Short mmCIF file of all heavy atoms in Angstrom, two decimals:
data_model
loop_
_atom_site.label_atom_id
_atom_site.label_comp_id
_atom_site.label_asym_id
_atom_site.label_seq_id
_atom_site.Cartn_x
_atom_site.Cartn_y
_atom_site.Cartn_z
N ARG A 457 9.37 -22.97 -2.37
CA ARG A 457 8.96 -23.39 -3.70
C ARG A 457 8.98 -22.19 -4.65
O ARG A 457 9.45 -22.31 -5.79
CB ARG A 457 7.55 -23.98 -3.66
CG ARG A 457 7.46 -25.32 -3.00
CD ARG A 457 6.20 -26.09 -3.39
NE ARG A 457 4.99 -25.35 -3.05
CZ ARG A 457 4.35 -25.48 -1.88
NH1 ARG A 457 4.86 -26.27 -0.94
NH2 ARG A 457 3.25 -24.81 -1.65
N VAL A 458 8.46 -21.07 -4.21
CA VAL A 458 8.42 -19.88 -5.08
C VAL A 458 9.82 -19.35 -5.34
O VAL A 458 10.18 -19.01 -6.47
CB VAL A 458 7.54 -18.78 -4.43
CG1 VAL A 458 7.60 -17.50 -5.26
CG2 VAL A 458 6.10 -19.27 -4.31
N ALA A 459 10.65 -19.30 -4.30
CA ALA A 459 12.02 -18.79 -4.45
C ALA A 459 12.81 -19.63 -5.44
O ALA A 459 13.60 -19.13 -6.24
CB ALA A 459 12.71 -18.73 -3.10
N ALA A 460 12.59 -20.96 -5.42
CA ALA A 460 13.32 -21.85 -6.31
C ALA A 460 12.89 -21.63 -7.77
O ALA A 460 13.69 -21.84 -8.69
CB ALA A 460 13.09 -23.29 -5.91
N GLU A 461 11.65 -21.21 -7.99
CA GLU A 461 11.16 -21.01 -9.35
C GLU A 461 11.43 -19.61 -9.88
O GLU A 461 11.43 -19.39 -11.10
CB GLU A 461 9.63 -21.22 -9.39
CG GLU A 461 9.21 -22.67 -9.19
CD GLU A 461 7.70 -22.83 -9.39
OE1 GLU A 461 7.16 -22.24 -10.33
OE2 GLU A 461 7.08 -23.55 -8.59
N LEU A 462 11.70 -18.69 -9.00
CA LEU A 462 11.81 -17.28 -9.39
C LEU A 462 13.15 -17.00 -10.05
O LEU A 462 14.20 -17.47 -9.61
CB LEU A 462 11.64 -16.39 -8.15
CG LEU A 462 11.06 -15.00 -8.38
CD1 LEU A 462 9.65 -15.09 -8.94
CD2 LEU A 462 11.03 -14.23 -7.04
N SER A 463 13.11 -16.19 -11.09
CA SER A 463 14.34 -15.78 -11.79
C SER A 463 15.05 -14.68 -10.96
O SER A 463 14.46 -13.63 -10.74
CB SER A 463 14.03 -15.26 -13.20
OG SER A 463 15.15 -14.63 -13.74
N ARG A 464 16.27 -14.94 -10.62
CA ARG A 464 17.05 -13.95 -9.89
C ARG A 464 17.28 -12.69 -10.72
O ARG A 464 17.27 -11.57 -10.19
CB ARG A 464 18.40 -14.55 -9.47
CG ARG A 464 19.40 -13.56 -8.94
CD ARG A 464 20.65 -14.29 -8.47
NE ARG A 464 21.79 -13.38 -8.41
CZ ARG A 464 22.99 -13.72 -7.98
NH1 ARG A 464 23.20 -14.98 -7.57
NH2 ARG A 464 23.99 -12.86 -7.97
N ASP A 465 17.45 -12.84 -12.05
CA ASP A 465 17.74 -11.69 -12.88
C ASP A 465 16.47 -10.85 -13.16
O ASP A 465 16.55 -9.62 -13.18
CB ASP A 465 18.32 -12.17 -14.23
CG ASP A 465 19.68 -12.80 -14.04
OD1 ASP A 465 20.39 -12.42 -13.10
OD2 ASP A 465 20.00 -13.74 -14.82
N LYS A 466 15.32 -11.49 -13.34
CA LYS A 466 14.09 -10.77 -13.66
C LYS A 466 13.45 -10.14 -12.43
O LYS A 466 12.83 -9.07 -12.51
CB LYS A 466 13.10 -11.71 -14.34
CG LYS A 466 13.48 -12.09 -15.75
CD LYS A 466 12.38 -12.94 -16.38
CE LYS A 466 12.72 -13.32 -17.82
NZ LYS A 466 11.65 -14.15 -18.45
N TYR A 467 13.55 -10.81 -11.30
CA TYR A 467 12.92 -10.31 -10.06
C TYR A 467 13.89 -10.27 -8.92
O TYR A 467 13.75 -10.98 -7.93
CB TYR A 467 11.71 -11.22 -9.72
CG TYR A 467 10.69 -11.36 -10.81
CD1 TYR A 467 10.69 -12.47 -11.67
CD2 TYR A 467 9.73 -10.37 -11.01
CE1 TYR A 467 9.75 -12.57 -12.70
CE2 TYR A 467 8.79 -10.47 -12.04
CZ TYR A 467 8.84 -11.59 -12.86
OH TYR A 467 7.90 -11.68 -13.88
N PRO A 468 14.93 -9.45 -9.02
CA PRO A 468 15.97 -9.45 -8.00
C PRO A 468 15.47 -9.10 -6.61
O PRO A 468 15.89 -9.69 -5.61
CB PRO A 468 16.98 -8.41 -8.52
CG PRO A 468 16.19 -7.53 -9.44
CD PRO A 468 15.18 -8.46 -10.08
N GLY A 469 14.54 -8.10 -6.51
CA GLY A 469 14.05 -7.71 -5.21
C GLY A 469 13.26 -8.80 -4.52
O GLY A 469 13.45 -9.11 -3.33
N LEU A 470 12.34 -9.44 -5.26
CA LEU A 470 11.55 -10.52 -4.70
C LEU A 470 12.42 -11.70 -4.37
O LEU A 470 12.22 -12.38 -3.35
CB LEU A 470 10.44 -10.92 -5.69
CG LEU A 470 9.31 -9.89 -5.89
CD1 LEU A 470 8.41 -10.36 -7.02
CD2 LEU A 470 8.52 -9.70 -4.62
N TYR A 471 13.36 -12.02 -5.23
CA TYR A 471 14.28 -13.14 -5.00
C TYR A 471 15.00 -12.95 -3.68
O TYR A 471 15.09 -13.90 -2.87
CB TYR A 471 15.27 -13.21 -6.17
CG TYR A 471 16.23 -14.37 -6.11
CD1 TYR A 471 15.96 -15.58 -6.69
CD2 TYR A 471 17.46 -14.22 -5.47
CE1 TYR A 471 16.87 -16.63 -6.63
CE2 TYR A 471 18.37 -15.26 -5.41
CZ TYR A 471 18.07 -16.48 -6.00
OH TYR A 471 18.94 -17.50 -5.95
N LYS A 472 15.56 -11.79 -3.43
CA LYS A 472 16.27 -11.51 -2.19
C LYS A 472 15.35 -11.66 -0.98
O LYS A 472 15.70 -12.31 0.03
CB LYS A 472 16.83 -10.07 -2.21
CG LYS A 472 17.91 -9.80 -3.21
CD LYS A 472 18.26 -8.32 -3.20
CE LYS A 472 19.26 -7.99 -4.28
NZ LYS A 472 19.55 -6.53 -4.30
N THR A 473 14.18 -11.07 -1.10
CA THR A 473 13.26 -11.09 0.05
C THR A 473 12.80 -12.47 0.40
O THR A 473 12.72 -12.85 1.59
CB THR A 473 12.05 -10.19 -0.24
OG1 THR A 473 12.50 -8.87 -0.62
CG2 THR A 473 11.13 -10.09 0.97
N LEU A 474 12.48 -13.28 -0.60
CA LEU A 474 12.03 -14.63 -0.36
C LEU A 474 13.10 -15.49 0.30
O LEU A 474 12.83 -16.20 1.27
CB LEU A 474 11.56 -15.28 -1.66
CG LEU A 474 10.25 -14.77 -2.25
CD1 LEU A 474 10.11 -15.18 -3.71
CD2 LEU A 474 9.06 -15.28 -1.43
N TRP A 475 14.34 -15.41 -0.19
CA TRP A 475 15.40 -16.22 0.41
C TRP A 475 15.76 -15.72 1.82
O TRP A 475 16.09 -16.52 2.69
CB TRP A 475 16.63 -16.25 -0.51
CG TRP A 475 16.49 -17.24 -1.63
CD1 TRP A 475 16.42 -16.98 -2.94
CD2 TRP A 475 16.40 -18.66 -1.49
NE1 TRP A 475 16.29 -18.15 -3.67
CE2 TRP A 475 16.27 -19.20 -2.80
CE3 TRP A 475 16.40 -19.55 -0.40
CZ2 TRP A 475 16.16 -20.57 -3.03
CZ3 TRP A 475 16.28 -20.91 -0.66
CH2 TRP A 475 16.17 -21.41 -1.95
N PHE A 476 15.69 -14.43 2.02
CA PHE A 476 15.95 -13.93 3.36
C PHE A 476 14.88 -14.43 4.32
O PHE A 476 15.20 -14.82 5.47
CB PHE A 476 15.98 -12.42 3.33
CG PHE A 476 16.54 -11.79 4.59
CD1 PHE A 476 17.89 -11.60 4.72
CD2 PHE A 476 15.70 -11.40 5.62
CE1 PHE A 476 18.45 -11.04 5.89
CE2 PHE A 476 16.21 -10.84 6.78
CZ PHE A 476 17.59 -10.65 6.91
N GLU A 477 13.62 -14.42 3.90
CA GLU A 477 12.55 -14.93 4.74
C GLU A 477 12.74 -16.41 5.04
O GLU A 477 12.54 -16.88 6.18
CB GLU A 477 11.20 -14.69 4.05
CG GLU A 477 9.98 -15.08 4.86
CD GLU A 477 9.69 -14.12 6.00
OE1 GLU A 477 10.32 -13.06 6.06
OE2 GLU A 477 8.80 -14.42 6.83
N TYR A 478 13.15 -17.17 4.04
CA TYR A 478 13.43 -18.61 4.22
C TYR A 478 14.53 -18.78 5.28
O TYR A 478 14.41 -19.63 6.16
CB TYR A 478 13.88 -19.17 2.88
CG TYR A 478 14.39 -20.58 2.90
CD1 TYR A 478 13.53 -21.66 2.77
CD2 TYR A 478 15.75 -20.83 3.01
CE1 TYR A 478 14.01 -22.98 2.81
CE2 TYR A 478 16.23 -22.15 3.06
CZ TYR A 478 15.37 -23.20 2.94
OH TYR A 478 15.83 -24.48 2.96
N ALA A 479 15.57 -17.99 5.18
CA ALA A 479 16.67 -18.10 6.12
C ALA A 479 16.24 -17.74 7.53
O ALA A 479 16.61 -18.42 8.52
CB ALA A 479 17.82 -17.18 5.68
N GLU A 480 15.45 -16.68 7.65
CA GLU A 480 15.01 -16.24 8.96
C GLU A 480 14.16 -17.28 9.68
O GLU A 480 14.26 -17.48 10.88
CB GLU A 480 14.23 -14.94 8.84
CG GLU A 480 15.08 -13.73 8.50
CD GLU A 480 15.90 -13.23 9.70
OE1 GLU A 480 15.35 -12.54 10.55
OE2 GLU A 480 17.08 -13.59 9.78
N ALA A 481 13.33 -18.00 8.92
CA ALA A 481 12.49 -19.03 9.51
C ALA A 481 13.33 -20.16 10.08
O ALA A 481 13.12 -20.63 11.21
CB ALA A 481 11.50 -19.56 8.49
N HIS A 482 14.31 -20.61 9.32
CA HIS A 482 15.17 -21.70 9.80
C HIS A 482 16.08 -21.24 10.91
O HIS A 482 16.44 -22.02 11.80
CB HIS A 482 15.95 -22.29 8.63
CG HIS A 482 15.11 -23.15 7.74
ND1 HIS A 482 14.59 -24.36 8.10
CD2 HIS A 482 14.66 -22.93 6.46
CE1 HIS A 482 13.89 -24.88 7.14
NE2 HIS A 482 13.88 -24.04 6.11
N ARG A 483 16.46 -19.97 10.87
CA ARG A 483 17.25 -19.47 12.02
C ARG A 483 16.43 -19.47 13.28
O ARG A 483 16.94 -19.74 14.37
CB ARG A 483 17.73 -18.04 11.73
CG ARG A 483 18.58 -17.46 12.89
CD ARG A 483 19.26 -16.19 12.50
NE ARG A 483 18.34 -15.06 12.42
CZ ARG A 483 18.23 -14.14 13.40
NH1 ARG A 483 18.94 -14.27 14.52
NH2 ARG A 483 17.40 -13.13 13.26
N ALA A 484 15.10 -19.16 13.16
CA ALA A 484 14.23 -19.19 14.34
C ALA A 484 14.18 -20.62 14.93
O ALA A 484 14.21 -20.78 16.16
CB ALA A 484 12.83 -18.72 13.96
N ILE A 485 14.14 -21.61 14.06
CA ILE A 485 14.17 -23.00 14.55
C ILE A 485 15.48 -23.29 15.24
O ILE A 485 15.54 -23.88 16.33
CB ILE A 485 13.95 -23.98 13.39
CG1 ILE A 485 12.54 -23.80 12.79
CG2 ILE A 485 14.13 -25.42 13.85
CD1 ILE A 485 12.28 -24.61 11.54
N LEU A 486 16.59 -22.86 14.60
CA LEU A 486 17.92 -23.07 15.16
C LEU A 486 18.05 -22.42 16.54
O LEU A 486 18.52 -23.06 17.51
CB LEU A 486 18.98 -22.53 14.21
CG LEU A 486 20.43 -22.53 14.69
CD1 LEU A 486 20.91 -23.96 14.89
CD2 LEU A 486 21.32 -21.79 13.70
N GLU A 487 17.66 -21.16 16.66
CA GLU A 487 17.79 -20.45 17.92
C GLU A 487 16.94 -21.06 19.01
O GLU A 487 17.32 -21.15 20.17
CB GLU A 487 17.44 -18.98 17.72
CG GLU A 487 18.32 -18.20 16.76
CD GLU A 487 19.75 -18.05 17.24
OE1 GLU A 487 20.01 -18.33 18.42
OE2 GLU A 487 20.61 -17.66 16.42
N GLY A 488 15.74 -21.55 18.60
CA GLY A 488 14.88 -22.23 19.57
C GLY A 488 15.52 -23.47 20.12
O GLY A 488 15.45 -23.75 21.33
N LYS A 489 16.18 -24.26 19.27
CA LYS A 489 16.86 -25.48 19.74
C LYS A 489 18.02 -25.13 20.64
O LYS A 489 18.28 -25.82 21.66
CB LYS A 489 17.34 -26.26 18.55
CG LYS A 489 16.22 -26.94 17.76
CD LYS A 489 16.76 -27.80 16.63
CE LYS A 489 15.61 -28.55 15.95
NZ LYS A 489 16.10 -29.50 14.90
N ILE A 490 18.76 -24.08 20.32
CA ILE A 490 19.88 -23.65 21.16
C ILE A 490 19.41 -23.24 22.53
O ILE A 490 19.99 -23.60 23.55
CB ILE A 490 20.69 -22.52 20.48
CG1 ILE A 490 21.39 -23.06 19.21
CG2 ILE A 490 21.71 -21.93 21.42
CD1 ILE A 490 22.06 -21.99 18.36
N ARG A 491 18.29 -22.46 22.55
CA ARG A 491 17.75 -22.04 23.86
C ARG A 491 17.32 -23.22 24.72
O ARG A 491 17.41 -23.17 25.95
CB ARG A 491 16.54 -21.09 23.63
CG ARG A 491 16.91 -19.68 23.21
CD ARG A 491 15.70 -18.76 23.36
NE ARG A 491 14.58 -19.17 22.55
CZ ARG A 491 14.36 -18.85 21.30
NH1 ARG A 491 15.26 -18.09 20.65
NH2 ARG A 491 13.29 -19.26 20.66
N ARG A 492 16.84 -24.26 24.07
CA ARG A 492 16.37 -25.43 24.83
C ARG A 492 17.52 -26.43 25.13
O ARG A 492 17.25 -27.48 25.68
CB ARG A 492 15.25 -26.14 24.05
CG ARG A 492 13.98 -25.31 23.92
CD ARG A 492 12.85 -26.17 23.40
NE ARG A 492 13.09 -26.63 22.01
CZ ARG A 492 12.79 -25.93 20.92
NH1 ARG A 492 12.26 -24.71 21.02
NH2 ARG A 492 13.04 -26.44 19.71
N GLY A 493 18.73 -26.06 24.78
CA GLY A 493 19.88 -26.87 25.11
C GLY A 493 19.96 -28.17 24.35
O GLY A 493 20.50 -29.17 24.85
N ARG A 494 19.45 -28.20 23.09
CA ARG A 494 19.53 -29.43 22.31
C ARG A 494 20.99 -29.72 21.94
O ARG A 494 21.80 -28.81 21.76
CB ARG A 494 18.70 -29.27 21.02
CG ARG A 494 17.22 -29.09 21.28
CD ARG A 494 16.60 -30.33 21.97
NE ARG A 494 16.83 -31.53 21.18
CZ ARG A 494 16.08 -31.88 20.15
NH1 ARG A 494 15.05 -31.13 19.77
NH2 ARG A 494 16.34 -32.98 19.49
#
Side-chain angles (χ1 to χ4, degrees):
R457 290 199 301 270
V458 175
E461 291 185 42
L462 209 61
S463 168
R464 169 176 159 177
D465 295 330
K466 289 184 178 180
Y467 304 98
L470 290 172
Y471 182 91
K472 293 175 186 177
T473 305
L474 287 164
W475 279 114
F476 193 86
E477 184 74 9
Y478 172 88
E480 288 285 280
H482 285 291
R483 180 169 76 100
I485 295 174
L486 174 65
E487 298 294 348
K489 289 184 175 184
I490 292 173
R491 284 194 301 272
R492 293 192 295 274
R494 296 297 303 279

